[in-house]
């Protein structure tokens, strides 16, 4: 992953903690938070900094793009709610990744939010194909299994589907022990005949590459993420939502 980032992304120096000085040093005009489950307390020890507490009183624009609570019920303590509500009111524009997040923002933080797509969906299949074009195409018929929480139940599911469809199983991961590069990871979705995944982004890339897939909801990681995405996908309005999301982000940055 480090090689891919170095070759494709312009980086600032590494910042190890949230502090006002980091914003001052880069002369930022905008500080943007998102996406993924940045607003879920169980995944963030510095929850208030995910609402840009560290920006302090600097004269910068504050935006959230596709910030996610991960679930459709309120998990904040009263203290967290009060602190994050005060910080959320300082934002210039707020968008969330799930439709349910709009309601949570209104009812618990007292702010209006807009539902937008996860940023990975702002790009199209052609954009990702360019990133993995150097990876040889695997023309064999196989099932790509991208599972974050493997257990006997999940294994039984994908083995059953593989047997039904007569597909070889290729299991891959994206954690610290993963042996494949990011282009190779993308190529797994590109070349698969079928995908089984319990990952939100595994579902996203199955959709992007136009694959048949089976999505296994991971309740612990948050099922509402899957429901919001799949309802939109099944409605046939994904392209419409992509254009809306891009325009929302552009307007938020430029207004």
């Amino acid at each position: 992953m480090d090689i891919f980032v170095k070759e494709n992304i312009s980086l600032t120096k590494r910042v190890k903690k949230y502090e006002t000085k980091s914003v001052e040093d880069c002369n930022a005009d905008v500080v943007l938070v998102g996406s993924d489950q940045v607003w879920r307390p169980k995944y963030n020890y510095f929850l208030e900094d995910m609402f840009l507490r560290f920006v302090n009183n600097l004269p910068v624009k504050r935006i959230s793009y596709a910030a996610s609570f991960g679930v459709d019920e309120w998990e904040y303590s009263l203290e967290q709610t009060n602190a994050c509500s005060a910080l959320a009111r300082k934002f210039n524009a707020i968008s969330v990744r799930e439709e349910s997040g709009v309601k949570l923002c209104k009812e618990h933080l007292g702010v209006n939010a807009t539902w937008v797509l996860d940023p990975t969906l702002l790009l199209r299949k052609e954009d990702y194909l360019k990133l993995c074009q150097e990876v040889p195409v695997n023309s064999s018929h196989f099932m790509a299994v991208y599972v974050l929480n493997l257990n006997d139940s999940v294994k039984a599911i994908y083995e059953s589907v593989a047997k039904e469809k007569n597909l070889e199983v290729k299991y891959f991961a994206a954690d610290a022990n993963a042996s494949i590069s990011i282009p190779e990871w993308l190529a797994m979705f590109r070349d698969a005949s079928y995908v089984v995944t319990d990952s939100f982004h595994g579902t996203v890339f199955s959709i992007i590459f136009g694959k048949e897939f089976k999505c296994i909801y991971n309740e612990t990681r948050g099922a509402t993420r899957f429901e919001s995405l799949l309802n939109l996908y099944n409605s046939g309005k994904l392209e419409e939502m992509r254009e809306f999301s891009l325009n929302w982000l552009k307007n938020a940055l430029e207004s």
Side-chain angles (χ1 to χ4, degrees):
M1 184 173 70
D2 289 343
I3 295 174
F4 179 87
V5 170
K6 185 177 180 180
E7 292 178 346
N8 293 276
I9 300 175
S10 297
L11 299 175
T12 63
K13 66 178 182 180
R14 185 181 296 272
V15 175
K16 295 184 178 180
K17 61 181 179 180
Y18 301 108
E19 57 184 1
T20 307
K21 186 176 183 299
S22 298
V23 183
E24 293 175 320
D25 287 348
C26 66
N27 297 313
D29 297 308
V30 177
V31 180
L32 187 148
V33 59
S35 61
D36 223 331
Q37 298 185 62
V38 292
W39 285 355
R40 191 172 187 187
K42 71 181 292 184
Y43 291 154
N44 282 293
Y45 295 109
F46 305 101
L47 183 63
E48 290 173 39
D49 283 323
M50 295 295 98
F51 284 86
L52 306 185
R53 173 180 58 182
F54 66 95
V55 174
N56 206 347
N57 293 316
L58 295 179
V60 298
K61 188 175 294 184
R62 305 175 189 219
I63 299 172
S64 80
Y65 182 79
S68 174
F69 297 99
V71 292
D72 57 5
E73 55 190 36
W74 196 242
E75 296 182 330
Y76 290 35
S77 67
L78 178 59
E79 181 181 0
Q80 289 171 328
T81 299
N82 291 336
C84 294
S85 175
L87 290 165
R89 292 170 192 270
K90 295 182 178 182
F91 276 64
N92 300 87
I94 295 176
S95 65
V96 290
R97 195 178 65 181
E98 287 82 42
E99 191 172 16
S100 59
V102 174
K103 183 179 179 181
L104 293 179
C105 281
K106 186 69 174 179
E107 292 184 352
H108 299 282
L109 299 179
V111 295
N112 294 320
T114 301
W115 176 32
V116 295
L117 287 181
D118 185 270
T120 54
L121 282 161
L122 297 183
L123 298 177
R124 292 179 170 81
K125 176 181 177 180
E126 293 71 27
D127 299 305
Y128 291 108
L129 285 173
K130 293 176 184 177
L131 295 176
C132 58
Q133 61 185 351
E134 300 300 322
V135 181
V137 173
N138 185 339
S139 57
S140 67
H141 295 288
F142 70 91
M143 172 189 290
V145 176
Y146 181 60
V147 173
L148 304 179
N149 292 96
L150 182 62
N151 54 46
D152 291 340
S153 176
V154 171
K155 187 176 181 181
I157 290 173
Y158 76 69
E159 286 182 343
S160 174
V161 177
K163 183 177 181 180
E164 175 189 338
K165 296 183 175 294
N166 193 30
L167 294 172
E168 175 190 1
V169 172
K170 290 187 180 293
Y171 187 90
F172 67 116
D175 57 22
N177 298 317
S179 60
I180 63 174
S181 66
I182 289 178
E184 289 170 335
W185 186 89
L186 290 170
M188 289 291 286
F189 291 96
R190 180 195 68 188
D191 299 339
S193 299
Y194 194 91
V195 179
V196 173
T197 184
D198 69 345
S199 157
F200 174 80
H201 286 104
T203 306
V204 165
F205 281 95
S206 298
I207 290 171
I208 288 172
F209 282 101
K211 299 299 176 176
E212 280 192 272
F213 65 93
K214 183 173 186 62
C215 174
I216 302 172
Y217 281 13
N218 189 315
E219 296 289 345
T220 301
R221 291 177 180 269
T224 191
R225 305 173 300 146
F226 297 94
E227 293 167 354
S228 188
L229 171 63
L230 292 175
N231 287 340
L232 183 63
Y233 171 63
N234 291 327
S235 74
K237 296 181 178 179
L238 199 57
E239 183 60 32
E240 179 183 331
M241 187 63 156
R242 177 185 287 115
E243 292 303 318
F244 174 83
S245 300
L246 282 167
N247 287 330
W248 185 93
L249 181 56
K250 181 179 180 181
N251 291 335
L253 291 169
E254 295 178 350
S255 63

